[in-house]
């Protein structure tokens, strides 16, 4: 499994418990086991939830109605920033 696929699975697992629709990143925090310190790792890539929020930045299209739409944008922003 590629790092992208592994991270996608981790993001879905972490964010699927959020109360959708989510209007901003703060709506996602209750779903994360360690809040903004929650870590996601695959191969040589390790990011915290706070790193994701920073990298997503202006690429975010809040509100998100589904976990898949959110994760698609997170993955896309990580690719744009050359993490993946």
């Amino acid at each position: 499994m590629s790092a992208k696929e592994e991270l996608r699975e981790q993001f879905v697992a972490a964010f699927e418990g959020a109360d959708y629709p989510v209007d901003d990143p703060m709506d996602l925090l209750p779903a994360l086991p360690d809040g903004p310190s929650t870590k996601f790792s695959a191969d040589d890539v390790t990011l915290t939830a706070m790193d994701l929020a920073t990298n997503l930045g202006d690429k975010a299209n809040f509100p998100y109605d589904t976990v898949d739409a959110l994760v698609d944008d997170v993955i896309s922003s990580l690719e744009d920033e050359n993490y993946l």
Side-chain angles (χ1 to χ4, degrees), residues 9-56:
E9 283 184 5
Q10 291 176 38
F11 297 153
V12 168
F15 297 125
E16 69 186 349
D19 187 20
Y20 288 88
V22 293
D23 295 319
D24 60 55
M26 297 304 288
D27 290 345
L28 297 168
L29 290 179
L32 299 174
D34 294 323
S37 298
T38 300
K39 289 187 180 180
F40 304 96
S41 297
D43 293 338
D44 61 345
V45 178
T46 299
L47 302 155
T48 64
M50 193 62 124
D51 294 330
L52 295 179
T54 301
N55 285 316
L56 190 56

